[in-house]
Amino acid sequence: MRLVLLGPPGSGKGTQATRLKEYLQVPHISTGDLLRAEVAAGSPLGLQAKEVMARGELVSDAILLGMLEDRFSRDDTRAGFILDGYPRNLAQADALGKLLEKLGQKFDSAVQLEVPTELLVERIAGRAAAEGRADDNPESVRKRLQVYTDQTAPVIEYYRQHGELTVVDGVGSLDEVFSRIVEAIAPEKVVG
Ligand code: B4P
């Protein structure tokens, strides 16, 4: 199964992708995690991305596409994937479509997690206290939410128009949200 998880920061994309990965037995590809690994390694790419991420802005499309092409060149993505954090703007949605076409892979569904803004802010504040991620400070969170509204929300329309959008209520316990996603993506597709 080839899935994209869409939703604002704090909507549970990373959280649910970790569970879906076990359930669907396909790799979880988080562009945020890939970037954070580059930052931690101090690579040239990581050095470029570090400040941009800390400000809550989007890293350049060219860097992201290069990273994605590299990740998709690995055999484990042939049977499927859960893509978390990509695409974040229309240019990235278009680039992903072209990449899958080139690889001869059929896309299944974009799952949008819907969560009200007050709850997003609350969840991220909880993670800030627990993990201290560089971009979970109030100023960056405001910026990330704004970037989401301006650049990522149109991606939802893109998938809706392609008839590939599945909307899921992201409010509730981790188990409740997970069950809703599994139900929405048609469990019969999951077997095999
Ligand atoms: P990401 O790593 O994608 O960060 P995120 O949007 O905050 O989502 P995340 O998956 O981590 O959080 P989740 O909602 O699961 O991106 C970080 C930065 O990297 C971006 O700002 C950008 O700079 C850069 N970047 C990444 N991809 C890019 C791209 N394609 N193009 C350009 N730049 C890119 O969880 C949040 C919190 O909520 C957690 O603490 C979790 O425990 C909690 N939570 C989740 N579900 C819950 C529930 N049901 N109930 C209660 N709490 C819940």
Side-chain angles (χ1 to χ4, degrees):
M1 178 160 288
R2 300 182 182 90
L3 287 182
V4 159
L5 287 187
L6 296 172
S11 58
K13 302 183 299 290
T15 310
Q16 294 298 333
T18 307
R19 299 179 151 218
L20 283 168
K21 165 192 161 166
E22 299 301 325
Y23 186 75
L24 299 170
Q25 290 292 303
V26 292
H28 165 205
I29 304 173
S30 157
T31 48
D33 285 351
L34 291 174
L35 286 166
R36 281 185 287 275
E38 296 286 346
V39 171
S43 69
L45 192 159
L47 292 175
Q48 275 189 61
K50 188 176 177 184
E51 298 304 320
V52 180
M53 291 173 76
R55 286 199 301 270
E57 293 169 7
L58 294 185
V59 176
S60 90
D61 291 345
I63 288 184
L64 265 293
L65 183 58
M67 265 179 29
L68 206 63
E69 283 176 334
D70 189 48
R71 184 63 187 84
F72 273 78
S73 69
R74 283 166 51 185
D75 284 350
D76 66 342
T77 57
R78 290 222 183 117
F81 55 80
I82 300 152
L83 195 47
D84 151 24
Y86 193 100
R88 263 181 153 89
N89 59 30
L90 287 174
Q92 293 186 4
D94 195 44
L96 176 64
K98 290 194 171 116
L99 179 59
L100 293 180
E101 203 177 304
K102 194 169 86 184
L103 296 170
Q105 296 193 359
K106 190 193 150 292
F107 180 68
D108 288 299
S109 190
V111 177
Q112 178 201 356
L113 293 175
E114 271 194 325
V115 177
T117 308
E118 319 82 74
L119 197 53
L120 300 172
V121 172
E122 200 179 295
R123 285 183 186 177
I124 296 173
R127 182 169 64 187
E131 296 175 23
R133 217 171 88 173
D135 59 348
D136 279 345
N137 63 80
E139 201 182 319
S140 298
V141 170
R142 256 195 308 279
K143 180 70 185 175
R144 283 156 62 201
L145 289 170
Q146 190 59 48
V147 167
Y148 179 80
T149 305
D150 295 344
Q151 301 193 49
T152 312
V155 174
I156 289 168
E157 272 321 299
Y158 172 97
Y159 285 113
R160 198 193 305 278
Q161 280 169 18
H162 284 74
E164 293 165 335
L165 184 72
T166 304
V167 182
V168 169
D169 179 4
V171 180
S173 70
L174 303 189
D175 286 343
E176 282 165 347
V177 177
F178 179 71
S179 301
R180 283 180 208 138
I181 298 174
V182 168
E183 217 170 293
I185 57 177
E188 69 277 5
K189 281 193 195 174
V190 170
V191 180

